Amino acid sequence: QVRLVESGGGLVQPGGSLRLSCAASGSAFSPNTMGWYRQAPGKERELVAVCTSGGSTNYGDAVKGRFTISRDNAKNTVYLQMNSLKPEDTAVYYCNAITIVIAHTYEYWGQGTQVTVSS
């Protein structure tokens, strides 16, 4: 059974920084892609950033230049460094992992961690 466990959310003032972590566990689990999505109240879930096992990254337009995703493949852990945070970054952040096994795609989600940006 694959499990994604997020940590690092919390309350931060505008302009501040936070670092999220997501550790994936499971027998022989080696995700092709790991990343972060977020969902604010009343809004749809949106892409924050994703990272492939090869190190390729993709960011949502709202966070480009402020957030950085990184990944430790040996630990099956993905990190999200969030700088210059804005009130509109307030949301529940969800870790996501995708693995492809014999042409089948499996997608997993964490339970979410709250990030609140407020003075």
Side-chain angles (χ1 to χ4, degrees), residues 1-2 25-30:
Q1 181 69 21
V2 174
S25 62
S27 176
F29 183 59
S30 182

Side-chain angles (χ1 to χ4, degrees), residues 43-64:
K43 295 187 177 181
E44 294 185 352
R45 190 171 295 190
E46 64 174 357
L47 168 70
V48 177
V50 293
C51 182
T52 69
S53 57
S56 297
T57 58
N58 187 36
Y59 292 91
D61 289 341
V63 307
K64 285 180 180 177

